Amino acid sequence: MNPSASRIKVQPATESEGRKDYIRIQDYGFWYGAKKALDAISLDVPERRVVAFIGPSGCGKSTLLRNLNRMNDLVDGIRHEGDIQIAGRSIYDPGIEVISLRRRVGMVFQKSNPFPKSIYDNVVYALRIMGVTDRALLDEACETSLRKAALWDEVKDRLNDSALGLSGGQMQRLCIARAIANRPEILLMDEPCSALDPIATGKIEELIHELKAQFTIVIVTHSMQQAARVSDHTAFFYLGKLIEYDTTEKIFMNPSQAQTEAYISGRFG
Amino acid sequence: MTQVTNDTSAPKGEPWVWFTSLGLIVGLTMVAGLLALVLYNGFSVFWAPPVPTVKLSDGTVLMGQMAQHRVRPDSPASQPKYERQYQVGLRELNGTSYVWADEAKIVQENFPPQTMGLERMENGPAFVTPIAFVDSKGQRVLFKKESFEGLTSEVEYAAEIREELNAIQRQKIGAVNAKMEASRIDLRRAEDRSEPTAAIKTQIAALELEFNQLRELAEKVKAQNALAKIEVRDARGREVVLPMATIVRAWLPNDMSVWDRVSLFFSRLREFLFDEPREANTEGGLMPAIFGTLVMTVFMSLMVTPFGVIAAIYLREYAKDGVVLRMVRISVNNLAGVPSIVFGVFGLGFFVYVLGGSIDQLFFSDQLKYNNNTPVFGTGGLLWCSLTLALMTLPVVIVATEEALSAVPRGMREASLAAGASKWQTIRDILLPASAPGILTGVILAMARGAGEVAPLMLVGVVKLAPTLPVDMVEPFLHFDRKFMHLGFHIYDLGFQSPDSDAARPMVFATTLLLIVLVVCLNLGAITIRNRLRARYKGASF
Ligand SMILES: Nc1ncnc2c1ncn2[C@@H]1O[C@H](COP(=O)(O)OP(=O)(O)O)[C@@H](O)[C@H]1O
Ligand SMILES: [Mg+2]
């Protein structure tokens, strides 16, 4: 692949007033039982920017992403070392509950996973479990989230229909709406477009551009074009190690590591 | 061509298709045969066929409905000889209702139109030739074809009076008796504690007065019909007078239209479904048993579902995987294979004696002390039956729920947790609704097993004849302590404990049919609910 595919404008990091180490990963190592999946990762994600994780399958992108909201706590026999901080506070801080962490860090999965409930109930799920019962508040949150997810016009007349009747692309945008309904600060996306057709993919990418104004976004992607199109910074992983992390422009135009160069030009992966 | 047929490397799987399908066919044939047998025999109970008068070569004359036709056990297989069984009725005269006749000895068989069938309150049916009847005013009417309608209305009047008497005896006198019982206990208690007894004694006297008045009323009602009777002649020419009050139904089996037969069929079916049993349960209806079975099954389901679901949630969602969990799983699965009578013994030993005994000690000590130690909960009853069967079917629900929970896509669970839901919120809002159809499948299986179970119930509260229903209009409406009747036990009792097994046989089939229908209905109901849920939780497309 030609690095010049990153023609899409890469916003210079300086444009933001947000802090540069909004998410700070320090010497982070992670084990599934005896298997080491991450090895001494250090990386800072700036506020209100899009960071893409790229790398061959099994290199630990999802593992790192799922550590950011401690979804991996569900797996038996895991262990970690080092630390991850969000806005200056460790996510392993005993004073922070996992639940409140997850409320601040929304997540969109590779396979869209709407609940077998109505569209409305899906979107306001996070608010409901937080105890919000005020119908007006819920209605408003539902509309804003669906608008932000660019789904409102398509579903506004059938909010009470089952979410399982939507198309694949709509379902994934619904999952995005659901993830942002309780206004998290960070949005994690694990290959959100891998099951979608190009048109649906285009819509989601546009969406990511818009969401960036409010959320810090970390996206795992298999498509180098996508990383180039949507992200400001790109991290390249290989076998559990962070090989190179820089602005997307730099990674795709002028990588400093030979492995990165080889990967993005399609010579391995 | 030859090359193809000689190709030995091709897999030779085809014979197994036939072999396996044979298994299916054998199984299906057996089930279909069983159902056909039960259907045929069950429904023929209500059908009134023509009734022959048969002359035998030794001069005997029989009049009765043919009940069986079979090869004589002493005849050689190469030249089978047959014999027939006739239900001639009039057990008080003949000693038995049924007579065998060698088919070779039958010299004449005809169907005289005046032959009459009578269903009676006692001593089984009667097949006779009517002579005359006396109506309730004492008017004697010689029987002719035209007077049959008059007879029918007399029979109906007799039924009305029986119903009236029943209302007085069972309901009003029953209520007075219950009050009297309570007052006597009060009296004994008061005497024991040397408290004043005058008020209680006047109360008892008032109740006794009421009791006597009701008895008198009952006698008066009975007297309205005392004159009515029917004079008949049996096949041997003996004349008998039958009080009208004992006649349930009269029909002319050789002189009625198909329509009459159909309406007789439905009238008997209605009696079977909605009336109470007579004659040691071999005749009349099954309403108390149907009701008891339904109520017990419903309570069993209501008890087993929450326990099973909660246990399964713990096992699947909270318990840490390990040796203990595996042992528990194995035990639960093996529990499903424990013979049901073992649960009956456990129910009797633990629920009835230990739990029931303690409840009596704690809450009904007065009752025990002043009522000759008559237990309330310390004896078999609806509650213990439901609990015993709930325990027996618990593994079914647990296994089904566990499977349903684990079948919920992982993505849904993760989505909920990622949205900041706690584990319990995820279970309550996502996992349980999504696994509701699977849980219901388990409940259906549990119901199907519980509704047909007899052995354990015999130990913990099912009886041959219960004077009252477990749910009625007397406070507290739901009588968990009462013994009740059950269709499965009814079948056992009719078929194997009845003194007159010939008379009981048709009812065994009819009751079996009813039990099958009941279980199918319960299942259909639950399946409908499950499908509704499924439709709600499964979307149109993906
Ligand atoms: N739940 C798990 N248990 C054990 N090993 C896992 C688990 N999830 C992932 N792994 C392993 O960790 C490594 C990294 O996986 P993952 O983060 O999913 O890779 P990627 O998303 O980059 O394809 C892989 O070798 C994978 O086999
Ligand atoms: Mg992955």
Side-chain angles (χ1 to χ4, degrees), chain B residues 89-93 97 120-126 279 283 500:
Chain B
L90 280 177
R91 196 162 61 212
E92 71 273 31
L93 244 71
S97 274
R120 303 181 299 164
M121 292 297 292
E122 283 156 15
N123 289 321
E279 295 249 28
E283 277 177 40
D500 189 354

Side-chain angles (χ1 to χ4, degrees), chain A residues 120 124 134-144 152 159:
Chain A
Y120 184 91
V124 300
D134 183 350
R135 188 77 197 186
L137 268 179
L138 292 177
D139 284 348
E140 198 216 285
C142 178
E143 182 174 342
T144 19
W152 175 253
L159 290 176

